[in-house]
Amino acid sequence: MQHRIVVLGAGYTGAVVAGRLAKRLRREDVTVTLVNAEPDFVERVRLHQLAAGQDLRPRPLREVFAGTGVEPRLAKVTGVDVDRRTVAVTDEDGDGELAYDTLVYALGSGWDTQGVPGVAEHAHEIAGRPGALRLRERLAGLDAGRTVVVVGAGLTGLEAAAEIAEARPDLDVALAVRGGLGDWLSPKGREHLRKVFGRLGITVHEHTDVTGVEADRVTTADGRAVPAAVTVWTTGFAVHPIAKATALEVTGTGQIVVDGTMRSVSHPDVYAVGDAAMATGPGGRPLRMSCASGTPAAWQAADAIAARLTGGKLPAASIRYFNQCISLGRKEGLIQYVTADDRAVRAALTGRLAAVYKELVCKGAAWGVANPTLGLPVRRRRVTREGAAAGSAVKAPA
Ligand SMILES: Cc1cc2nc3c(=O)[nH]c(=O)nc-3n(C[C@H](O)[C@H](O)[C@H](O)COP(=O)(O)OP(=O)(O)OC[C@H]3O[C@@H](n4cnc5c(N)ncnc54)[C@H](O)[C@@H]3O)c2cc1C
């Protein structure tokens, strides 16, 4: 009987796990089903570009996985029953169920309104393609001189503000920052950011805590009202509530707690990767929601699953950070080099070279989805009876 591997989510991490498993395991021994709500692989790291009016190359999952042994399934996941080992899905034919022996949960995340009044009703988001497309339409219809306020100045907020300001110099773009602009960056990185934002005409409201969003303004903790024809909310990501509704061990925010092989600490037949997982990285710190750590975590998960199913050696790689790659429009960028545990060091690459570097990183991430073993030849191995049994054991050993 074939071992049924079901991967939920065909984003940067789920797609890589599915593709890599299909390369590592004999086709006669496994089925690899990749469930995704959208028919395309979405380059999420470019959604600020999409919102600013650029077109992204379509990447239909059927084409990406043609001939690989991965079976894409277009459906929305609505629930997971880890006791019955089934996934509830809805597709154009209605409700259905998928049974699994090994599950990989990679549903990613969406925007985090943080319960701030008015955000859900009035603000825009770029955490997913539908939101980015709505913002694109809104910006396209916005008259010159109107104000766009981006709230949140993490990597996504910085990229969004710069991209919109560069694409629409006729708009008045502002950024609301809770602390100081880029205060986690090196002095060189911070200075460059200020220079580029100044050049793009972005107004930066530092030490500003936005506590409410209305149709035409944002309000702040210190009682100010900042005019905003459009508010873009980028204060972080929140995971989908599906995992939290299961018996899996999750964090308070709903991320699945995993060990160093990305295996659930409560259910050994379940793995989680990417934004949906809480994995410990260098220095004992949780891995940040990013492709930077999600992609190596996906390699780790796939190799661990394959090793367990085939009686092979578990991967021993540890995940570390090298840099934070920030696009600042199409012509500028900032590559902030970091320690293994993601703290900025002095060195930073700036300017057009940094923009080119970031573009190559984005291209490389999409290439890596279609080339999950990075082009290296891999031998497909046989799933052993013991491996299959161990891979779908019911409870993790204490
Ligand atoms: C604008 C923007 C810029 C970013 N830039 C960077 C960057 O420069 N560097 C970096 O490292 N990170 C960046 N990130 C973060 C990065 O995109 C995420 O951390 C990464 O995509 C997480 O990968 P994932 O596989 O966990 O989730 P995703 O890539 O989000 O994939 C999740 C998949 O699951 C699918 N899905 C979700 N719910 C369901 C459901 N119920 N049923 C079926 N399918 C479902 C989605 O359609 C999607 O295909 C950026 C994010 C954004 C929004």
Side-chain angles (χ1 to χ4, degrees), residues 9-14 35-38 44-45 47-48 75-77 106-109 126-127 156 159 237 240 242 273-275 289-292 325 358:
Y12 284 98
T13 64
V35 187
N36 202 58
E38 296 198 55
R44 200 175 164 202
V45 301
L47 287 180
H48 54 296
K76 187 170 164 49
V77 175
L107 291 181
S109 62
I126 53 168
T156 308
E159 293 195 327
F237 302 132
H240 304 296
I242 294 171
V273 282
D275 292 359
M289 289 183 179
S290 66
C291 291
C325 303
K358 173 71 198 254

Side-chain angles (χ1 to χ4, degrees), residues 156-297:
T156 308
L158 296 178
E159 293 195 327
E163 202 75 46
I164 296 169
E166 184 188 83
R168 291 290 307 273
D170 58 323
L171 296 176
D172 187 2
V173 178
L175 181 70
V177 192
R178 205 175 235 159
L181 181 66
D183 54 10
W184 75 93
L185 298 167
S186 63
K188 180 177 175 185
R190 275 200 300 272
E191 194 187 313
H192 186 68
L193 200 56
R194 278 190 195 283
K195 209 164 68 191
V196 175
F197 271 43
R199 217 183 289 145
L200 289 170
I202 299 170
T203 308
V204 181
H205 300 277
E206 289 179 286
H207 309 288
T208 297
D209 196 359
V210 174
T211 49
V213 178
E214 295 172 29
D216 59 354
R217 75 195 65 188
V218 302
T219 50
T220 66
D222 56 5
R224 281 180 295 140
V226 179
V230 174
T231 301
V232 186
W233 194 260
T234 67
T235 61
F237 302 132
V239 297
H240 304 296
I242 294 171
K244 209 170 181 173
T246 68
L248 289 164
E249 184 170 329
V250 296
T251 62
T253 56
Q255 284 177 304
I256 298 172
V257 183
V258 294
D259 66 14
T261 65
M262 307 301 138
R263 192 186 212 184
S264 155
V265 296
S266 62
H267 290 72
D269 49 352
V270 177
Y271 291 73
V273 282
D275 292 359
M278 169 54 71
T280 305
R285 295 169 66 178
L287 292 179
R288 133 173 94 84
M289 289 183 179
S290 66
C291 291
S293 50
T295 301

